[in-house]
């Protein structure tokens, strides 16, 4: 177990996060890569009932995803509780405390042609609030299969309609409250896409409302990624017009309540 040391995120990085909704932090989890790799292996060896194989019929390769297992995987517990990630999240969100929402393991095998579709995380979640951050950390060098984020999309007037990745079906009925999923690549003059070539242990920090996606993995090696979703002081429960993902069935929370600390532990408090 390695204890976190004092970390100070630069004001420039905090300002960029606030403006663009996504920012690269080099080496934030560099010392935890081997531990996270072991945790991903443990997760893939014994996946939860909620794990997914996202690859569409006819697509090449394999795309594994699983989530909400971190409290049962000691390597993930160690990283979340003892790295600097919670301290970084507090500074980026400008929050006095940090709660864990969930972790997400995403593994694209070599030659996987399926892209991660463009989406915002927030519409899938029962969380309302500005103080949110996800940390996306590759455990292998990434270039083409890196995370891609649309700058400023966390400030759009309407959320993007959430869809099921494998089918494209909407989670909710279409309505004026949600906008259709845009195609930033088809309109490069309209959208500024941020993407970075990354080394293991680098992270992209992004707001839950930031539109993001990823290309397929055409490399000859796996692309393992560990993503951690954190939330801050203003996070509140909100009902959605359809199912949420993750569902956390039986949580018993009501509109406007703070998120339960027994289900979503506080990992940092100043």
């Amino acid at each position: 177990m390695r204890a976190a040391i004092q970390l100070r995120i630069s004001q420039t990085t905090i300002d960029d996060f606030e403006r663009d909704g996504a920012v690269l932090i080099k080496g934030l989890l560099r010392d935890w890569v081997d531990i996270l790799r072991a945790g991903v292996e443990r997760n893939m060896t014994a996946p939860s009932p909620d794990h997914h194989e996202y690859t569409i019929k006819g697509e090449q390769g394999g795309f594994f995803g699983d989530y909400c297992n971190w409290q049962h995987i000691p390597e993930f517990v160690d990283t979340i509780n003892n790295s600097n990630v919670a301290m970084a999240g507090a500074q980026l969100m400008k929050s006095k405390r940090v709660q864990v929402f969930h972790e997400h393991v995403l593994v694209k095998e070599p030659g996987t042609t399926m892209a991660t579709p463009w989406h915002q995380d927030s519409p899938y979640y029962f969380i309302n609030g500005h103080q949110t951050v996800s940390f996306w950390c590759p455990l292998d060098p990434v270039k083409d299969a890196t995370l891609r984020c649309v700058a400023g999309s966390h400030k759009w007037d309407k959320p993007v309609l959430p869809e099921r990745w494998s089918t494209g079906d909407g989670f909710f009925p279409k309505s004026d409250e949600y906008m259709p999923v845009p195609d930033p690549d088809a309109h490069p003059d309209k959208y500024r896409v941020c993407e970075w070539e990354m080394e293991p242990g680098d992270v992209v920090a992004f707001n839950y409302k930031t539109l993001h996606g990823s290309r397929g993995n055409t490399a000859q090696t796996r692309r393992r990624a560990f993503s951690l979703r954190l939330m801050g002081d203003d996070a509140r429960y909100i009902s959605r017009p359809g199912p949420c993902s993750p569902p956390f069935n039986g949580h018993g929370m009501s509109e406007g309540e703070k998120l339960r600390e027994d289900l979503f532990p506080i990992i940092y408090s100043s």
Side-chain angles (χ1 to χ4, degrees):
M1 184 179 295
R2 308 178 191 184
I5 60 174
Q6 194 66 30
L7 172 74
R8 175 56 57 187
I9 301 294
S10 73
Q11 188 60 48
T12 298
T13 299
I14 294 170
D15 291 344
D16 289 349
F17 178 74
E18 177 68 24
R19 183 192 67 233
D20 293 339
V23 68
L24 174 69
I25 304 177
K26 297 288 291 182
L28 181 66
L29 289 174
R30 182 182 297 122
D31 293 340
W32 297 85
V33 169
D34 288 341
I35 293 171
L36 287 170
R37 285 172 176 166
V40 169
E41 184 63 29
R42 187 189 298 271
N43 191 170
M44 295 186 73
T45 300
S48 79
D50 293 323
H51 82 281
H52 291 83
E53 292 291 345
Y54 292 111
T55 309
I56 299 171
K57 185 177 181 180
E59 296 273 6
Q60 296 180 2
F63 184 3
F64 170 90
D66 203 358
Y67 54 22
C68 302
N69 302 301
W70 73 271
Q71 289 169 304
H72 311 295
I73 297 178
E75 294 87 354
F76 293 170
V77 173
D78 189 9
T79 303
I80 290 168
N81 287 334
N82 297 303
S83 74
N84 282 323
V85 70
M87 197 180 303
Q91 293 175 46
L92 290 171
M93 294 187 292
K94 301 178 181 177
S95 179
K96 292 182 179 179
R97 69 176 199 167
V98 175
Q99 285 178 269
V100 178
F101 183 37
H102 73 92
E103 94 301 338
H104 202 166
V105 168
L106 298 155
V107 178
K108 290 185 178 179
E109 299 294 345
T112 298
T113 53
M114 181 179 170
T116 304
W118 290 107
H119 66 286
Q120 295 171 319
D121 288 339
S122 180
Y124 291 88
Y125 296 165
F126 50 53
I127 295 173
N128 189 33
H130 176 71
Q131 290 170 300
T132 63
V133 63
S134 290
F135 290 99
W136 188 91
C137 177
L139 305 179
D140 306 282
V142 291
K143 184 177 180 181
D144 293 334
T146 191
L147 192 70
R148 311 176 72 208
C149 299
V150 175
S153 53
H154 63 309
K155 297 180 179 180
W156 287 351
D157 293 335
K158 289 185 179 182
V160 172
L161 185 71
E163 295 181 343
R164 290 177 172 83
W165 291 3
S166 296
T167 65
D169 297 333
F171 265 61
F172 313 149
K174 293 181 179 179
S175 73
D176 291 338
E177 295 182 14
Y178 293 85
M179 62 184 289
V181 179
D183 184 357
D185 291 317
H187 303 280
D189 56 329
K190 185 177 179 181
Y191 303 99
R192 179 164 67 90
V193 177
C194 300
E195 56 184 307
W196 300 269
E197 188 171 345
M198 300 172 67
E199 294 298 321
D202 295 345
V203 303
V204 173
F206 62 98
N207 189 283
Y208 288 1
K209 297 179 181 179
T210 300
L211 189 76
H212 61 285
S214 178
R215 300 183 183 90
N217 180 25
T218 58
Q220 299 303 307
T221 55
R222 267 182 168 179
R223 192 223 65 181
R224 293 167 289 183
F226 175 81
S227 192
L228 179 63
R229 329 291 195 192
L230 305 178
M231 50 193 172
D233 297 331
D234 72 351
R236 298 291 186 275
Y237 176 80
I238 185 173
S239 58
R240 299 293 186 187
C244 291
S245 177
F248 289 102
N249 294 321
H251 57 72
M253 292 180 292
S254 300
E255 198 81 14
E257 286 186 347
K258 289 185 178 181
L259 280 293
R260 286 175 48 173
E261 294 175 15
D262 57 332
L263 295 178
F264 311 104
I266 295 173
I267 57 169
Y268 179 86
S269 182
S270 62

